[in-house]
Amino acid sequence: MAKKYIDIMDTTFRDGFQSVFGGRVLMNDFFPAVEAARDAGITHFEFGGGARFQSLFFYLNENAFDMMDRFRQIVGPDANLQTLARGINTVMLDTGSRELIDLHAKLFAKHGTTTIRNFDALNDVQNLEYSAQCIKNHGLKHEAVVTLMDLPPNCFGAHDVAFYEKTLRNILDSGLPYDSICFKDASGTSSPNKVFETIKMARKLLGEKAHIRLHTHETAGVSVACYLAALEAGADGIDLAASPVSGGTSQPDILTMLHATKGMNYDLGGLEIDKILKYEEVLADCLKDYFLPPEATQVSPLIPFSPMPGGALTANTQMMRDNGTLHKFPEVIKAMQEVVVKGGFGTSVTPVSQFYWQQAYANVMFGPWKQIAPGYGRMVLGYFGKTPVEADSEIIKLASEKLKLEPTTLNPLDIADKDPKKKIDVWRQRLEIENIPTTEENIFIAAACDEKGIAFLKGEAPLNVRKNEKKDEYNKKGENKMANGNYTVVVDGQRFNVSVFEGDVQNIQVAQPVQPVVQQVPAQTAPVTPAKPVYNGTEATAPVNGNVWKILVKEGDRVEKDQQIMILEAMKMEIDVVAPISGTISKILTEPSKAVEEGQTLAVIA
């Protein structure tokens, strides 16, 4: 009896990169691994979309459409190249208008895409209908998604098999076109038994011919068990990644699943262990210079209590490293449970996972519910669609007060269509003002990435890639290189044992303090700390590390106590800077786009 063929999608170059490196991998560095994957017999790849669309413009100074074209050239015309879209958000920062959603499908079809996996984090099927039609209109395959996660302990009302059956029936009743159905668990928190019962339910409802897939992450440690449960229940496809961007926050490794299914009646994509081993060797060599965050390789038993998706976890911790707040990570994860419960149980997947994270971050940094993250607030107010259960009434009231918005039940697409900033003509005019060619690609880049998209198109985008420092770069800087071995160093009079090894940052051993030795140390002149300027008035300071996004007042303006005077951008969220007293703005000490540190004086009020 022939083994059942299971379609394997290789997520290495999209979700794998996002889950481990926050999407920050340069195309020329990883293209040799794409060739190796092709030579290993892989024909189904996730190669773009989701957060990997914006990351190229935000951090890599690369054009995502160019990357997609070159990827297609490498793998050939017959490979199934898949991207990820967020329903009415597609790959944008916010809900798109109907014309931008259609442009997304048109451009992704033009640049090599075969299939678009299309999900809504709220499981609001209304948010899938229009984008699904656009995808099919432009000749692409549409993979409709039901998003999964487990609820925090003692929580009920959504995310059980009955809820997923209701969502799937809503998809079928809507009549939206689809070629396959995927159950997507971005946080990897669903239990194997729930996965088994969900896939079994879907098979019964959809019939034997429907293509059913499961997507999950290893973050909570149960992904392989979930995949085996899905296969037993009748799934036709699963998603896997290649080492070193597999496991941990990413998908299970291809080799791991080949091992897990030994002796079972499944043919995983016709893949052969020896060929996959060679592919993974090439990939490891391609990525050897990249800093591998330790949290990306870990399985966390606490994730089901949060839950934080693997693809968002490392992106957030990397931003916390940038902002100098990584030490707050455990507190933010702990704070997420309350945020999820009070937010209406939207699935913790982009963009909702980012809303959860931003609100938890704000609750930790500024005090519980002192600020409402704009995305979280708009979600509970209904501006992204209907949450699985109604959000907490007090939080809805607070969000309405803080954001000065009324709750709504309008179709989010109708709201977006009325927004001038979401019109193609408006972005075309902006490009003309900036003397940027008004191609459809450039219009979409600007609309999807806002000011960071404009900066990229003007050649002003930063390059922010975390690579381990190489030996020749040490020498170029003229720094003295210590030989391998154990050393004792003195810092502020305290001695530490330090082990030094040649290689990447993962080989550096943590310095350990040793007992102080009585020894005469030459006197040193203490560094002189510049005196902090004294201003004649009350200072408005930065509440966190971030960048100045908007300055809402000017010198000479009269302001009231607690009036918003500036907005910072930190952790992909807007942070208010408010006037500590009523008075007149006597000085503004910063400017838009400038990086500021927590406690830094931004304005003075007399």
Side-chain angles (χ1 to χ4, degrees), residues 359-376:
Q359 188 58 56
Y361 184 83
N363 285 358
V364 168
M365 301 301 291
F366 311 118
W369 308 106
K370 298 296 184 183
Q371 289 200 19
I372 293 291
Y376 184 84

Side-chain angles (χ1 to χ4, degrees), residues 76-212:
D78 298 327
N80 183 359
L81 295 187
Q82 189 160 317
T83 60
L84 186 66
R86 311 171 191 130
I88 54 178
N89 281 64
T90 64
V91 294
M92 294 179 276
L93 293 168
D94 197 359
T95 303
S97 62
R98 285 179 171 87
E99 59 183 11
L100 286 174
I101 291 171
D102 183 69
L103 183 58
H104 160 262
K106 179 181 180 180
L107 291 175
F108 275 57
K110 177 182 176 181
H111 291 280
T113 304
T114 309
T115 304
I116 293 183
R117 175 178 287 173
N118 190 30
F119 73 91
D120 179 66
L122 301 180
N123 279 312
D124 185 343
V125 174
Q126 176 183 245
N127 289 345
L128 297 176
E129 293 175 4
Y130 183 74
S131 54
Q133 195 59 60
C134 292
I135 289 167
K136 294 301 293 183
N137 288 347
H138 289 285
L140 297 169
K141 293 182 179 179
H142 177 234
E143 185 164 279
V145 176
V146 177
T147 58
L148 278 59
M149 72 174 187
D150 255 23
L151 296 181
N154 302 315
C155 293
F156 308 95
H159 291 287
D160 54 18
V161 178
F163 172 73
Y164 299 138
E165 181 174 356
K166 178 183 176 182
T167 304
L168 185 55
R169 287 186 182 276
N170 287 341
I171 289 174
L172 299 177
D173 292 344
S174 73
L176 66 81
Y178 68 89
D179 296 277
S180 55
I181 296 289
C182 176
F183 291 89
K184 176 180 172 65
D185 186 344
S187 58
T189 54
S190 295
S191 68
N193 182 67
K194 187 174 79 170
V195 167
F196 176 82
E197 295 296 338
T198 299
I199 299 296
K200 188 170 71 170
M201 171 275 297
R203 177 59 69 201
K204 182 177 179 181
L205 194 58
L206 297 171
E208 292 301 315
K209 293 184 179 180
H211 185 87
I212 300 174

Side-chain angles (χ1 to χ4, degrees), residues 507-529:
N507 288 332
I508 297 176
Q509 304 298 310
V510 177
Q512 299 293 335
V514 298
Q515 293 297 322
V517 177
V518 178
Q519 180 177 336
Q520 291 292 334
V521 179
Q524 297 182 2
T525 304
V528 178
T529 302

Side-chain angles (χ1 to χ4, degrees), residues 398-412:
L398 183 62
S400 182
E401 292 171 354
K402 292 281 189 181
L403 301 184
K404 296 179 174 57
L405 287 172
E406 292 298 319
T408 184
T409 57
L410 293 175
N411 186 331

Side-chain angles (χ1 to χ4, degrees), residues 81 96 153 174 224 232 237 245 340 355 483 520 531-532 593:
L81 295 187
S174 73
V224 172
E232 184 181 353
V245 293
V340 172
F355 300 159
Q520 291 292 334
K532 181 181 178 181
S593 301

Side-chain angles (χ1 to χ4, degrees), residues 312-358:
L313 191 150
T314 50
N316 288 326
T317 55
Q318 296 286 48
M319 285 189 289
M320 293 184 88
R321 280 188 175 89
D322 292 343
N323 288 352
T325 58
L326 186 59
H327 61 288
K328 295 286 187 179
F329 175 72
E331 294 179 56
V332 178
I333 285 291
K334 185 177 180 180
M336 271 191 67
Q337 179 170 337
E338 181 186 20
V339 170
V340 172
V341 171
K342 293 189 174 182
F345 294 148
T347 314
S348 191
V349 61
T350 306
V352 170
S353 59
Q354 201 63 28
F355 300 159
Y356 287 156
W357 173 265
Q358 290 166 349

